[in-house]
Amino acid sequence: MVAQTRAGNSAPKRLAFNEKIVGKGLATDALLKKLKALHTELAELDQELVDVNSLSSVRTQLVNTSILLHKDRGVKAYAACCLADILRLYAPDAPYTHTELRDIFQFFFRQLATGLRGAEASYYNEYFHLLESLSTVKSVVLVCDLPHAEELMVDIFRDFFGLVRRDLAKKIEIFIADILVALIDECQALPSEVLETIMAQFMANDAQPAYRLAVQVCNATADKLQRHVCQYFTDIIVAHSHESDSESNFEEIRKAHELVKQLSRSCPSLLHSVIPQLEEELRVEEVQVRLIATQALGEMFSEKGGAELIKKYPTTWNVWLMRKNDKAAAVRLKLVESAKGLLVNLHDHRETVDELMRLKLLDPDEKVRAAVCKVYSQLDYETVLHYVSEDQLRSIAGRGMDKKNSVRVEALNSLGKLYSTAYSEIENNDPAAIRHFSWIPNEILHISNSTQEARLAAEQVIADFVFPLPSVSSASTSKSVDVDEVAWTDRLLNTMNYLDDRGVNAVLLLSGIKGSRPSPYELYLQSCVQHNGGVIDEDEDVVKQRLNNVIRHISRQFGDPQKAAEDLHAFARANENRSYKLLKTCLDTQTDLKGLVKASTEFLRRIELGSESILGTMTVFLRRAALRIVNQSSIPTLIKRVQRADSKHAQTLLTYISKHCPALYKPHISELTKAIADEKNARLVEVGMQALAAVSRSDEALAVNDKRTLERVMRYVLGSNARVAKFAARILVASKEHDDLCTEAVDSIARKLSTAEPDLLVAHTAVLAQFARLAPDAFERKSDVLMAFLVKKLLMVPSPADPVRGSAARILALKVCRNRCLAHASTDTALEVATPVLKMLSTLLDHAGSYSADATDDPKVKSRMRLQAATSLLHLSVVDKFTTAINTNFISLAITVQDPCYNVRMEFLMKLFPLLTARKLPPRYNLIPFLTVHDPEADVKSRAISYVTHASRNLSAAAKVDLFEIIFIRLLHLLAHHPDFSTAHENLQEMAKYIEFYLDLIASSDNVSLLYHLAMKAKTVRDGQSHTYSENLYAMSELAQELIKARAQARSWSLQSYPGKVKLPSDILRALPNPESATKILKTVYLPEETSAWLLESSKSHKPAGASKEKRREPREPKDSKSPPKRKASRHRVNGTTKRAKTARWNSDQSESEEEPSSDDSEQDDREETPTKPSSEREDGSSEQESDEEEANEKKVERTRKPSRKAGTRAKRKISKQVKKKGNHTRKS
C-alpha cells in the first residue's frame, strides 16, 4: 500500500511542474529537459512547506519502467535525483510500495556504481546530489523495512566499497560512511555477508580509501558490531579447527587473526568480546591455534596502544606471558619475537619484559635463545640506553659462548650492532654510553679466545662492527677511495681504552701482526700461482702436494674444514690472475689502508660474481690474512699518539709491531729517526729506538748509517736507560760500521762497569746481553773482564739492599751468559763455554733461585732468578749440543711450572709455548703443560689447556703421535721421579689427577690402545737411575692402566691390543736383565690395596649402561689389574698379527719412536702439514749401555735428588694447600 501523507501546512507550496514525462513519442532531449526542470523545482521545495498532493503525478511517473530503464544516462541521473527529492519531501513516510521502493533503491545504487567516477565525469553534480540526499535525509534506512532487505544491503555495501576505491572527493567518502552507518544502525539483523565485506577491507593497505571507510563505519557503529565481530571470529575458528590436520584451515585462522590485529590498530573498541576469546585460545591443546593466538596478541601488545590494551585486559596479558613456559618451542618463539615492540612501547612494564627475556635466554630450544638475542639487535640506541639494563646486555654476551652456533651468532651480532651504534657517543666521552656499551668489545674478544667455534662468530662481529674497515661506497664508482686513516686508527685506540689485558692480547692476536713470514696465506697464494689451474710444467706432484698441505693446514682453522678445503681448492682451480693480484695486494704488508679497502672490495666482488658458493670461505680467509686492524697506515697516527699522556695502547701496538712485523715501518723510517731525536720525550724515544732496531735487523738496507744519528745512538748505548740502551745496541750491530762501533762501546762499558751507579749498571748489562748474542767478536775482546765482573761481582754476591734494581742487573747478567752460549752454539767451543753456565742455571733451580741451600737472598730476587734460569735453559735446549746436558735436569726444569710464585709459573709457560709451537724443543717438553693440573690459579691451567688443545688439533695424525702420545710413558717416568711422589694412597690419588688431566686432553677412541700399550710397557723395563724409581714407575704403570681402562669403559671405547711397534726412550729406561726379572715384576702388584680398591670403586661408578655388552665384545681384556698373567699375555699380543685390522694410521707409525724413527716419512709429513713452521727437531736420546750398574745409578740419584726434593717440597705444600682448599675430595677416574 501507499503510505499516508502528513497533514499539510496552512499555506503549503504546490509543485508547479505539470508536464508529462511518460508517454509515447517523447524524445530523449525533451524528456531530459523536463526532468532537469522537475529536479530544479523539487530541490528548491522545503519538506515542511510543500503540498505533497501536488507531487502525486510526478511521483507515479518517476517509477515508470520507461524512466528507470531508460537508455540515456542523463535521464536516469536526473530521475534518480528527482526520486531522492520525492523521498525527502515525503519523509518520514514513503509514497511507494515495498516493491517500488526496492526498485528505486536498486536504481539509485546502480546509478552511483556506474556513473560516479570523478569531478570531470558526466552528470557528476547529479550523482553528488543523489549521494548527499541519501546521506543527509537518511531515506536509505527504508531499505531495512523491505522484504529481502539483507540482499539489498549486501549489494549496497559491496557497491559502496567498490565505489570508494575510485579515489573520489573526501566529502563523498563522508556521505558514503553516513549511509552505511545509518543502514547498520537501523537494521534488525546485520547480514553476515555485510560484515564479511566490511572485514575484508581491513586486510587491504591502510592507505586505501576502502580501509579508511571501513574504519569510519566500524568506529561509528562499534557498540552494535561488537557482538557480530565476536561471532564472526568464533564461526571462523570453529569451522576450521575441526579439521586441524589441514594446513589450509590454519591458514584461514591465521587470516582471521591478522584481521584482529588490524582491528586492534584502527578499531580497538570492536574487540571487546574478541580479546577474551583470544585468551581462551592460548589455553587450547592444539599447538597451531596457541601459536597463532600468541603471535597475534604479542603483536597487539607491541603496538603503540599496547599499554592501553594491557590496562583493559590484564588477565589476557598475564595468560599471554605464561606462554613463556609453553611446552611447544614454536609458541615460546612467537612470544619472544614480539618482544621488540614490548621493549620499545611498554616502558611501564619494563621489569616484566626484562625478566621474560632473561628467562628465555636460558630456554632449552636454541631457536628461542637466538630469537631473544636477535630482538636486541633490532633496537635503536636510545631504547637500549634508557630501557635495557647493562645486566641484560651482559646476559646476552653470555650467550656468545652458547653450544649452538645460531645462538652465538645472534648474540654476538646483537652486541656488535649495539656497540657500532653507540661508538660515536663513546668517542665523544658520553658517560652514559661509556658505562652502558664500552665493555662490549672486551666481552667479544674474550669469547674469540675461548673455542674454535666461538672464535669464528666473534671474528666476524669484530670485523663488521668493532673494527670495521672504512666505508667503500666510492670504490665502485671511482678509482680513488677516500679513507680517514686517522679516524680508523683512533677508533682502535679508543676501543682499547676499555679493554683488559686479555682483551688487548686478543686484539693483538687478531691483528695478524704476529706470525711467521711468509704466512700460510701467502704460501697458499704462491701455491695457487704455481698450480696454474692444474696446468703444471715441472714437478707436478710436488706442486700439488704443497698446495694440498697448505690447504689442509689453513682449513683446520675453519668451522667446517671439509667445506673450507673444497672452497680453497675451487679458488685454485679457477686460476684467475686478477684475483691473485688483488689477493697479493691484500696480503702485502706494505699495502696502505686505501689500497687494502680497494683491493679487498674488488676481490670479494669478483668472487661473488664468479663463484658465489666460495664467498663465505674466502671472506674469512681474507679477513685473517690481511692486516685490517693495524697496518702501515696506522704508524704515523700511533707515533703522534705516543706523545700524549694517555698513550699506553699506542705504545703497546708499536711495541708489538716492532717485535713481530717491523716491515710495517719501512715507509716511515724518517719519522722514527725524528722520534728518537726528541730526547725530552723518553717514551717516544724508547718506542722509536725499538722500532728502528727491529726494522734494522729485519732488513739490512734499512739499517741506520747516518753519522749524526749513529752518534745519538751511541749516546743512548752508553746511557742509563736500560731499554733504550738495549735497542740502541741492536741498531749499532745492524749498521755498516758495526765492528768498530760495537768494539768502542764494549771497551767503554768494560772501563766503567765496576764503578757504575745502579741504573747505569743495569743499562750496561743490558747492552752486554745484546752484544754477547749479536756481536760476539766485539764482546769476546773483553769477555774475560766482563764475565769475571758479572759472575763474581753480580751473580755470586748476596742480594743488594735494593732488590728491584739489584735483581735487574743480576737477571741481565744471566742473559749475558745465556746469549754468549747461544752465540757459540755453532763453534767447537760451544760445550766449553756452556758447561759452567748450564751448571750455574741448574744450581739456581735446585736452590730456589740461590747458589746455595742456606742463602738468605730476598725472596723476590730469588723468584726472578729462578724464572730467568728456567727460561734460559728453555732457550738453550733448542741447541742440540746442549740438549743432553740439560736433559739430566729436565725434571727440575719441568717442575718450575709448579713454582710457589704465580708470576714464575705463568711467565715460564708463556716462554715455553712459543718454542713448543715452533717445534724448537724436543717432544718431552710437551709434558710440562700437563703438570699444571694442581695449579691454584685457574688461568695457568686454562692457558695450558688452550695450548694443548690448539696444538693437538692442528697437527697431523703422525705428528700428534710423536709430540703428544708417545710421550705418555715419559709422563709416567716424570711422575715416578716427581719430588712429591710416594706410594701412600692419598699421594697416589693426587698423582692420578696428572694422568686424568693428560687423558682428558689427549685420549680418544683412536689412541686409547696406544696409551694403554705404553702404560703396560712401563712394567717391562726398568728405570735408568735406580731400583727405587723403577718401583715408582711400576706403580704409575698400574695406576695408568686402571685409569685408562675405566675411561674406555665409561666411554664405550674399544680397548684392543695396539697393533704397532713402539721403541721406548733409551735415555730414561733400560731393558730388564733377564726374563725372570720380567716375570717377577709382572706378577707383582705395586699399588697399595687401598688404591686398588679405590680404582675399582671409581670404575664401577663410571660403568655405563652398555658395559656388559662391551665386555662381551672384548673377552681378551683382564677384569682386574691385579691379574699379572693376563697382563703379560696382553703384552705378548703385540706381534703385528693381532685380530684388530690395522688402520692406515697405525701402519704409518708402526716402527716409530721419539728418538729412532724407522723412516723420515713422518718428519716430512710434519713439515708439509705446517708449512710456516720449521721441521721438528729430534730429541736426543741417551746412548748409555744396558749394562750400567745399579750402584752407580744409586749414587747419581743421591747427588741429584736433594735439590729436587726442595723444589718438590714447595710443590707438595702447594698441592696440599689446594687439596685442603677443595675439601680433600678425590677425583674419580
Side-chain angles (χ1 to χ4, degrees):
M1 289 184 62
V2 178
Q4 297 295 319
T5 60
R6 297 169 301 153
N9 197 303
S10 58
K13 187 174 181 179
R14 294 180 60 81
L15 180 67
F17 185 86
N18 58 3
E19 299 183 38
K20 295 287 185 179
I21 56 176
V22 176
K24 294 182 179 181
L26 188 61
T28 299
D29 291 341
L31 177 59
L32 188 60
K33 185 177 180 180
K34 291 179 180 182
L35 288 173
K36 186 175 182 180
L38 175 60
H39 164 57
T40 301
E41 188 175 355
L42 287 173
E44 293 176 354
L45 292 177
D46 191 322
Q47 179 186 8
E48 301 296 331
L49 303 176
V50 67
D51 181 1
V52 294
N53 292 326
S54 64
L55 305 177
S56 300
S57 176
V58 295
R59 178 196 77 191
T60 305
Q61 294 181 70
L62 284 172
V63 295
N64 190 283
T65 55
S66 63
I67 297 295
L68 299 180
L69 301 178
H70 200 282
K71 63 182 179 179
D72 186 77
R73 290 179 58 198
V75 170
K76 290 186 283 188
Y78 280 107
C81 291
C82 293
L83 284 169
D85 288 332
I86 292 293
L87 292 176
R88 174 176 63 82
L89 296 172
Y90 273 92
D93 300 319
Y96 296 110
T97 64
H98 286 163
T99 303
E100 289 172 333
L101 283 174
R102 181 181 180 84
D103 292 341
I104 289 171
F105 283 111
Q106 287 178 336
F107 175 67
F108 283 167
F109 295 116
R110 190 162 57 246
Q111 299 311 303
L112 291 172
T114 58
L116 189 59
R117 295 185 178 276
E120 287 77 22
S122 302
Y123 307 106
Y124 174 79
N125 292 332
E126 284 67 36
Y127 294 129
F128 186 89
H129 176 82
L130 171 61
L131 194 63
E132 183 180 23
S133 177
L134 292 173
S135 169
T136 56
V137 178
K138 301 294 190 295
S139 57
V140 72
V141 301
L142 295 172
V143 170
C144 300
D145 298 329
L146 300 178
H148 308 292
E150 293 82 359
E151 298 176 3
L152 188 55
M153 282 187 66
V154 170
D155 291 339
I156 292 171
F157 274 81
R158 285 176 180 169
D159 289 344
F160 271 177
F161 277 112
L163 179 65
V164 81
R165 289 189 177 91
R166 298 175 184 172
D167 197 20
L168 302 174
K170 186 69 176 178
K171 207 163 188 180
I172 291 178
E173 288 187 28
I174 296 174
F175 291 158
I176 292 176
D178 290 342
I179 294 170
L180 298 183
V181 168
L183 284 172
I184 293 175
D185 286 341
E186 290 297 323
C187 69
Q188 296 297 320
L190 186 69
S192 59
E193 292 88 345
V194 170
L195 187 61
E196 289 174 2
T197 301
I198 297 173
M199 296 294 102
Q201 313 312 312
F202 287 94
M203 303 306 293
N205 190 321
D206 57 7
Q208 294 294 328
Y211 179 89
R212 296 196 300 267
L213 176 60
V215 171
Q216 292 180 53
V217 171
C218 289
N219 282 328
T221 60
D223 292 341
K224 187 162 187 176
L225 288 182
Q226 282 179 2
R227 178 174 57 84
H228 296 283
V229 171
C230 181
Q231 187 61 45
Y232 173 77
F233 287 111
T234 302
D235 292 344
I236 292 176
I237 294 170
V238 171
H240 294 91
S241 61
H242 291 308
E243 302 178 12
S244 58
D245 58 337
S246 173
E247 182 61 30
S248 61
N249 289 315
F250 288 127
E251 187 60 34
E252 291 300 321
I253 296 176
R254 287 192 189 94
K255 289 180 181 178
H257 286 76
E258 286 292 327
L259 181 54
V260 173
K261 290 186 289 185
Q262 289 289 349
L263 291 175
S264 176
R265 297 187 187 102
S266 53
C267 311
S269 55
L270 280 183
L271 303 178
H272 181 72
S273 301
V274 176
I275 300 298
Q277 184 177 342
L278 295 182
E279 179 183 327
E280 291 303 315
E281 289 180 7
L282 295 174
R283 299 187 176 99
V284 301
E285 284 296 321
E286 178 54 55
V287 174
Q288 285 294 332
V289 175
R290 292 204 312 277
L291 183 67
I292 295 169
T294 301
Q295 180 181 3
L297 281 170
E299 294 183 18
M300 290 161 63
F301 289 136
S302 300
E303 298 286 345
K304 290 185 178 180
E308 187 65 25
L309 192 64
I310 293 173
K311 187 176 180 180
K312 287 183 179 179
Y313 307 99
T315 58
T316 305
W317 166 249
N318 290 328
V319 173
W320 182 80
L321 286 175
M322 290 305 297
R323 290 305 93 207
K324 66 187 177 184
N325 298 322
D326 197 287
K327 61 184 178 182
V331 176
R332 304 196 302 272
L333 179 62
K334 289 299 179 185
L335 183 85
V336 166
E337 289 175 346
S338 308
K340 178 190 174 184
L342 303 180
L343 292 166
V344 172
N345 297 315
L346 299 184
H347 299 158
D348 293 339
H349 300 270
R350 171 187 168 185
E351 292 182 1
T352 302
V353 178
D354 276 355
E355 181 60 30
L356 165 68
M357 300 299 276
R358 190 176 295 111
L359 178 66
K360 291 297 95 184
L361 274 173
L362 304 176
D363 193 274
D365 189 89
E366 64 175 290
K367 293 181 180 178
V368 177
R369 301 196 301 274
V372 175
C373 299
K374 187 174 182 179
V375 164
Y376 289 93
S377 71
Q378 299 167 345
L379 300 177
D380 61 274
Y381 167 76
E382 292 294 336
T383 298
V384 177
L385 180 64
H386 297 296
Y387 301 110
V388 179
S389 67
E390 182 183 340
D391 288 342
Q392 187 74 346
L393 294 181
R394 289 188 180 275
S395 298
I396 298 169
R399 291 299 92 206
M401 293 290 293
D402 199 281
K403 292 182 179 179
K404 299 296 183 179
N405 182 63
S406 60
V407 184
R408 292 195 299 268
V409 169
E410 290 295 349
L412 294 172
N413 275 336
S414 293
L415 293 176
K417 289 178 182 178
L418 292 176
Y419 179 77
S420 182
T421 58
Y423 175 74
S424 58
E425 300 299 326
I426 295 173
E427 187 180 27
N428 293 331
N429 295 317
D430 182 346
I434 291 172
R435 181 175 60 256
H436 217 65
F437 300 101
S438 64
W439 55 270
I440 288 177
N442 197 55
E443 289 298 317
I444 298 176
L445 289 164
H446 284 191
I447 291 170
S448 72
N449 273 344
S450 57
T451 65
Q452 175 72 9
E453 294 76 14
R455 178 190 174 195
L456 293 171
E459 280 183 354
Q460 184 67 50
V461 171
I462 291 168
D464 292 343
F465 302 112
V466 180
F467 303 128
L469 285 175
S471 174
V472 294
S473 57
S474 62
S476 58
T477 58
S478 173
K479 291 184 178 180
S480 63
V481 182
D482 294 327
V483 295
D484 191 340
E485 297 173 347
V486 175
W488 176 67
T489 306
D490 281 340
R491 176 165 183 145
L492 172 62
L493 295 174
N494 289 335
T495 302
M496 291 179 71
N497 286 334
Y498 306 101
L499 302 181
D500 59 16
D501 290 342
R502 282 184 61 197
V504 171
N505 289 335
V507 169
L508 298 178
L509 184 63
L510 289 173
S511 69
I513 296 296
K514 186 177 182 180
S516 58
R517 304 283 184 220
S519 68
Y521 308 103
E522 292 171 303
L523 293 176
Y524 169 73
L525 179 57
Q526 294 173 12
S527 299
C528 287
V529 174
Q530 294 170 358
H531 185 259
N532 194 29
V535 182
I536 306 168
D537 296 332
E538 297 180 358
D539 300 328
E540 181 175 351
D541 292 339
V542 174
V543 170
K544 288 183 177 180
Q545 184 63 35
R546 186 181 298 117
L547 178 63
N548 291 337
N549 286 337
V550 73
I551 287 177
R552 192 180 304 116
H553 175 72
I554 293 174
S555 62
R556 289 198 185 106
Q557 308 299 324
F558 286 74
D560 186 349
Q562 182 177 354
K563 172 70 164 55
E566 292 173 357
D567 292 346
L568 292 172
H569 277 294
F571 178 77
R573 288 194 298 270
N575 195 35
E576 294 185 359
N577 290 329
R578 178 59 181 169
S579 295
Y580 290 163
K581 184 177 180 181
L582 291 169
L583 186 56
K584 183 178 181 180
T585 301
C586 295
L587 302 185
D588 189 356
T589 56
Q590 299 307 309
T591 300
D592 61 5
L593 179 61
K594 183 176 179 180
L596 175 63
V597 170
K598 185 176 180 181
S600 60
T601 303
E602 184 181 348
F603 175 77
L604 293 177
R605 187 185 300 117
R606 290 182 67 87
I607 295 295
E608 184 176 9
L609 295 176
S611 305
E612 189 175 1
S613 61
I614 69 171
L615 179 62
T617 298
M618 298 312 297
T619 300
V620 175
F621 179 96
L622 183 62
R623 185 173 67 232
R624 293 177 174 177
L627 300 180
R628 50 175 295 124
I629 294 179
V630 180
N631 65 19
Q632 64 107 332
S633 296
S634 311
I635 304 300
T637 305
L638 292 175
I639 292 175
K640 291 178 182 177
R641 298 297 179 262
V642 166
Q643 302 176 40
R644 294 181 179 177
D646 56 345
S647 61
K648 174 184 176 183
H649 296 300
Q651 184 174 358
T652 299
L653 289 169
L654 288 172
T655 300
Y656 194 75
I657 293 170
S658 298
K659 287 182 178 180
H660 302 293
C661 192
L664 295 183
Y665 292 126
K666 187 174 181 178
H668 309 288
I669 299 296
S670 60
E671 295 171 72
L672 295 175
T673 305
K674 293 178 183 177
I676 67 171
D678 187 3
E679 299 185 13
K680 294 181 180 179
N681 193 329
R683 182 166 41 234
L684 181 62
V685 170
E686 179 183 326
V687 170
M689 291 296 292
Q690 185 176 10
L692 277 177
V695 76
S696 298
R697 291 179 66 184
S698 66
D699 189 345
E700 292 182 1
L702 301 176
V704 175
N705 292 304
D706 176 66
K707 183 177 180 181
R708 186 176 179 182
T709 304
L710 285 175
E711 290 175 354
R712 181 178 291 112
V713 170
M714 179 62 81
R715 290 200 301 272
Y716 287 136
V717 167
L718 302 177
S720 59
N721 187 316
R723 281 185 60 80
V724 173
K726 176 177 71 173
F727 300 134
R730 293 177 182 176
I731 294 174
L732 286 187
V733 170
S735 65
K736 289 182 180 179
E737 302 177 2
H738 63 277
D739 288 337
D740 295 338
L741 293 173
C742 292
T743 301
E744 179 185 345
V746 169
D747 290 343
S748 176
I749 291 173
R751 289 194 304 271
K752 301 175 183 178
L753 198 59
S754 59
T755 60
E757 293 295 322
D759 287 341
L760 187 60
L761 176 62
V762 172
H764 284 347
T765 312
V767 172
L768 292 176
Q770 298 302 310
F771 287 155
R773 181 73 179 92
L774 304 175
D777 294 338
F779 182 87
E780 290 302 324
R781 288 189 178 95
K782 296 290 183 178
S783 62
D784 293 342
V785 175
L786 296 174
M787 293 305 298
F789 176 84
L790 294 177
V791 174
K792 295 179 181 179
K793 301 298 184 181
L794 267 183
L795 293 174
M796 294 301 179
V797 298
S799 297
D802 185 352
V804 176
R805 285 191 293 181
S807 66
R810 297 179 76 186
I811 289 170
L812 288 168
L814 289 179
K815 286 187 178 181
V816 173
C817 298
R818 179 191 76 190
N819 288 346
R820 186 165 178 251
C821 294
L822 292 174
H824 288 79
S826 59
T827 66
D828 296 336
T829 60
L831 285 176
E832 180 183 343
V833 172
T835 299
V837 174
L838 295 176
K839 182 178 179 181
M840 177 178 63
L841 296 176
S842 299
T843 302
L844 285 171
L845 287 184
D846 292 340
H847 295 296
S850 298
Y851 291 101
S852 62
D854 55 353
T856 58
D857 292 343
D858 185 278
K860 295 179 182 178
V861 176
K862 291 172 69 175
S863 65
R864 292 185 174 94
M865 290 293 286
R866 62 179 179 267
L867 172 60
Q868 184 57 45
T871 55
S872 295
L873 285 173
L874 286 180
H875 285 93
L876 293 173
S877 297
V878 172
V879 181
D880 291 343
K881 293 181 180 179
F882 306 151
T883 302
T884 302
I886 296 174
N887 283 348
T888 58
N889 292 296
F890 174 73
I891 294 175
S892 297
L893 177 60
I895 61 175
T896 302
V897 81
Q898 295 180 335
D899 194 276
C901 177
Y902 166 79
N903 287 331
V904 172
R905 302 195 303 273
M906 181 58 78
E907 288 298 321
F908 179 68
L909 279 180
M910 293 301 99
K911 298 292 184 181
L912 172 68
F913 290 154
L915 296 174
L916 288 176
T917 302
R919 302 195 198 176
K920 293 182 178 180
L921 292 172
R924 72 175 66 191
Y925 285 80
N926 279 308
L927 293 174
I928 296 176
F930 299 107
L931 300 181
T932 62
V933 64
H934 291 296
D935 200 291
E937 300 295 337
D939 55 342
V940 175
K941 185 176 177 181
S942 65
R943 290 289 182 94
I945 293 173
S946 178
Y947 161 73
V948 174
T949 303
H950 183 268
S952 60
R953 183 176 59 237
N954 292 328
L955 290 173
S956 65
K960 185 177 179 182
V961 170
D962 286 343
L963 297 178
F964 284 102
E965 296 174 9
I966 289 290
I967 64 171
F968 181 53
I969 196 166
R970 286 188 177 274
L971 176 63
L972 301 181
H973 175 268
L974 189 154
L975 296 177
H977 284 254
H978 197 285
D980 299 333
F981 181 88
S982 77
T983 54
H985 172 63
E986 293 77 9
N987 182 273
L988 288 173
Q989 285 180 312
E990 297 300 324
M991 291 294 152
K993 293 180 181 179
Y994 290 103
I995 299 175
E996 287 281 14
F997 186 44
Y998 174 88
L999 296 176
D1000 287 340
L1001 297 178
I1002 300 299
S1004 67
S1005 58
D1006 293 331
N1007 64 19
V1008 66
S1009 296
L1010 171 60
L1011 300 181
Y1012 187 72
H1013 175 70
L1014 289 170
M1016 289 195 303
K1017 292 285 282 184
K1019 287 195 71 174
T1020 66
V1021 291
R1022 63 184 176 91
D1023 189 86
Q1025 291 190 22
S1026 74
H1027 178 69
T1028 301
Y1029 285 135
S1030 294
E1031 292 188 349
N1032 294 352
L1033 179 62
Y1034 302 152
M1036 293 308 303
S1037 170
E1038 294 176 0
L1039 182 61
Q1041 290 179 57
E1042 293 303 319
L1043 292 174
I1044 293 172
K1045 285 197 296 184
R1047 179 175 294 263
Q1049 186 180 46
R1051 289 162 174 75
S1052 299
W1053 291 345
S1054 177
L1055 191 59
Q1056 300 182 14
S1057 297
Y1058 178 63
K1061 294 181 180 180
V1062 177
K1063 187 169 183 179
L1064 301 182
S1066 59
D1067 60 319
I1068 57 174
L1069 302 174
R1070 301 287 182 271
L1072 292 172
N1074 51 61
E1076 291 76 14
S1077 299
T1079 303
K1080 181 180 178 181
I1081 291 169
L1082 288 172
K1083 290 182 177 181
T1084 304
V1085 177
Y1086 292 88
L1087 287 177
E1089 292 184 3
E1090 187 179 0
T1091 304
S1092 298
W1094 171 70
L1095 289 169
L1096 183 60
E1097 185 63 28
S1098 300
S1099 177
K1100 289 180 180 178
S1101 65
H1102 286 83
K1103 185 176 180 180
S1108 59
K1109 185 176 180 181
E1110 185 70 27
K1111 270 192 175 182
R1112 288 195 297 271
R1113 290 199 301 267
E1114 300 179 52
R1116 295 177 296 173
E1117 289 298 321
K1119 291 183 179 180
D1120 187 69
S1121 64
K1122 295 186 287 185
S1123 178
K1126 290 188 178 180
R1127 196 181 302 117
K1128 182 177 179 181
S1130 297
R1131 180 175 62 87
H1132 289 302
R1133 280 198 195 97
V1134 187
N1135 54 15
T1137 58
T1138 125
K1139 292 182 180 179
R1140 180 181 176 186
K1142 296 182 182 179
T1143 63
R1145 175 178 176 179
W1146 298 137
N1147 290 334
S1148 65
D1149 300 332
Q1150 196 129 78
S1151 58
E1152 291 182 1
S1153 69
E1154 274 184 67
E1155 293 78 19
E1156 300 178 24
S1158 59
S1159 69
D1160 294 333
D1161 294 343
S1162 60
E1163 186 176 353
Q1164 179 66 26
D1165 289 344
D1166 295 346
R1167 287 196 296 267
E1168 293 172 346
E1169 283 294 319
T1170 313
T1172 62
K1173 300 174 183 176
S1175 59
S1176 173
E1177 298 198 16
R1178 289 290 163 195
E1179 180 173 2
D1180 293 337
S1182 174
S1183 58
E1184 296 180 22
Q1185 298 298 320
E1186 299 292 342
S1187 59
D1188 288 347
E1189 296 183 1
E1190 292 281 336
E1191 294 179 1
N1193 290 332
E1194 289 286 352
K1195 291 180 181 179
K1196 185 176 180 181
V1197 170
E1198 291 300 320
R1199 288 196 304 270
T1200 61
R1201 194 168 179 175
K1202 289 183 180 180
S1204 297
R1205 280 296 180 187
K1206 291 184 177 293
T1209 303
R1210 298 194 300 273
K1212 179 68 174 179
R1213 288 199 300 267
K1214 173 168 60 63
I1215 292 174
S1216 300
K1217 182 179 179 181
Q1218 186 195 24
V1219 171
K1220 290 179 182 178
K1221 184 178 179 181
K1222 294 184 177 180
N1224 289 319
H1225 71 284
T1226 57
R1227 177 180 177 181
K1228 296 183 179 180
S1229 59

